[in-house]
Amino acid sequence: MIWIEQAEYDLLASKLSFDNGFYEWACYQCVQSVEKCLKAVLVSAKVRPPKIHKLGIILSMCNSVYPNFVEIK
């Protein structure tokens, strides 16, 4: 699944950034990774992910399609 692959790349990039002292950039890349993982959850539920970057909204959508998802976070 493309969203998961991209999330893994972002997570790897965040580790490289962190290891080289680019902490703010590492945080940004981690957020990007989480966003892509949440969008993968939506795709698995046959929901088109929104073209937004607000984690709260995307997380709410995940909670809507998978009621037990609330327990995961």
Side-chain angles (χ1 to χ4, degrees):
M1 182 183 291
I2 192 73
W3 286 109
I4 295 296
E5 289 176 27
Q6 291 299 315
E8 289 173 347
Y9 294 142
D10 287 343
L11 196 56
L12 176 60
S14 73
K15 180 169 178 8
L16 293 171
S17 293
F18 183 84
D19 290 346
N20 288 286
F22 301 107
Y23 304 116
E24 290 177 4
W25 191 242
C27 290
Y28 173 77
Q29 291 164 318
C30 284
V31 170
Q32 290 294 298
S33 181
V34 169
E35 177 185 331
K36 290 170 184 159
C37 286
L38 291 174
K39 288 183 177 185
V41 169
L42 294 176
V43 168
S44 74
K46 309 279 191 267
V47 173
R48 173 174 253 184
K51 293 182 180 181
I52 60 171
H53 302 285
K54 297 185 184 236
L55 292 180
I57 293 172
I58 301 168
L59 183 60
S60 293
M61 292 178 72
C62 291
N63 291 336
S64 295
V65 296
Y66 291 114
N68 292 335
F69 193 77
V70 175
E71 297 173 19
I72 293 172
K73 72 175 188 175

